Amino acid sequence: MGLVMRIDVLTLFPEMFTSVLGSSILKRAADPALHANKEDGPTDPPVSYHVTDIRDFANDKHNKLDKPPYGGGPGMVIQCQPVYDAVTTVESQDDRPATRILMTPQGRTLDQSLVEELASHPRLLIIAGHYEGIDERVIEHLAPMEISVGDYVLSGGELPAMTLIDSVVRLQKGVLGDETSADFESFSPGAQGLLDCPHYTRPPEWMGMKVPDILLSGNHGKIDAWRREQSRIRTQQRRPDLLNESE
Ligand code: SAH
């Protein structure tokens, strides 16, 4: 079990995760059948997901845990106790300490260097808020890392949680094949923190537009140099702030 990253999600809408965690790369990353090694017997997949419904921890007989805010105003606030009980119960299911994360527009903005840092943790426990948010006291008590996906407001932390999960899982060893390695993508260390180069595939000419000759030349040294140059040009045009940072 040692190498498997465990990702817990606490949410009021667990069904939102079914299709995202059950499709494409995120699905394969957790599928034991795809990671079985014929010679050494079955090996564990790189990650395991555990989605928990915070509503299961409601202490109200109608399973209601969002209540009107003290002081008045619009919206509902998620109560402390169910969140606290969900976190402590889920944490006790595994020996490894969990890195607690709360998705909130008030947190540190997610970027590739934070993703890389989180990808090295053995276990993440992600709390998705909803409605107006969560009672401040349980946030203070649990002291999670607070992470935002950008300066805009969504109706819940579920999409931000999925964004974080996808970005972290694709960096786990064995998740992407060599053909789709994450090493040279935008913001990655392999790309020196720059944007990726443009990509082309068949046919060689489409609507009168040709694929750059160099890519058809078979000269890998020149192709690499061209790609690095394109990365630099794109970054200069679209995100000059990244060039200044890497200087
Ligand atoms: N009242 C809060 C916003 C609540 S939005 C405020 O103004 O700060 C409801 C929930 O959606 C939040 O609890 C959070 O979990 C999630 N959410 C909304 N926007 C987000 C963002 N940009 N990044 C991460 N989570 C976000």
Side-chain angles (χ1 to χ4, degrees), residues 103-106 129-133 147-150 152-157 160:
M103 303 316 302
T104 160
Q106 302 185 20
H130 222 93
Y131 315 116
E132 261 334 287
I147 298 180
S148 165
V149 290
Y152 46 85
V153 177
L154 297 164
S155 43

Side-chain angles (χ1 to χ4, degrees), residues 9-206:
V9 185
L10 305 189
T11 170
L12 290 173
F13 297 91
E15 67 278 10
M16 288 180 74
F17 291 84
T18 315
S19 94
V20 171
L21 300 182
S23 311
S24 184
I25 289 168
L26 292 183
K27 176 187 184 179
R28 282 192 274 131
D31 185 345
L34 288 176
H35 296 273
N37 178 323
K38 286 189 190 76
E39 276 156 38
D40 305 333
T43 44
D44 292 315
V47 294
S48 67
Y49 311 120
H50 304 263
V51 180
T52 298
D53 190 344
I54 304 171
R55 232 178 279 278
D56 293 344
F57 296 85
N59 28 30
D60 174 304
K61 57 176 180 303
H62 300 107
N63 274 2
K64 212 174 141 40
L65 37 71
D66 51 301
K67 304 280 173 178
Y70 280 127
M76 293 296 220
V77 178
I78 299 169
Q79 293 178 293
C80 290
Q81 196 63 44
V83 174
Y84 179 78
D85 290 345
V87 168
T88 49
T89 304
V90 163
E91 283 187 346
S92 71
Q93 292 168 0
D94 194 293
D95 292 342
R96 291 169 297 175
T99 302
R100 296 172 178 165
I101 296 169
L102 173 68
M103 303 316 302
T104 160
Q106 302 185 20
R108 170 172 167 194
T109 307
L110 188 65
D111 62 11
Q112 194 64 21
S113 65
L114 179 53
V115 168
E116 276 159 24
E117 204 267 303
L118 294 171
S120 68
H121 293 219
R123 186 175 180 202
L124 303 179
L125 186 154
I126 306 169
I127 306 166
H130 222 93
Y131 315 116
E132 261 334 287
I134 298 173
D135 188 311
E136 191 65 23
R137 291 168 296 178
V138 72
I139 301 174
E140 216 173 283
H141 187 82
L142 294 171
M145 280 177 85
E146 298 188 26
I147 298 180
S148 165
V149 290
D151 290 347
Y152 46 85
V153 177
L154 297 164
S155 43
E158 287 75 17
L159 292 169
M162 290 184 231
T163 300
L164 175 59
I165 293 169
D166 187 309
S167 65
V168 161
V169 168
R170 64 201 299 289
L171 294 184
Q172 301 302 309
K173 202 166 179 298
V175 170
L176 298 182
D178 282 346
E179 322 85 71
T180 44
S181 162
D183 289 352
F184 292 94
E185 286 180 304
S186 296
F187 316 112
S188 67
Q192 291 164 325
L194 304 182
L195 300 181
D196 197 3
C197 62
H199 300 284
Y200 301 87
T201 187
R202 287 170 223 190
E205 186 173 332
W206 179 77

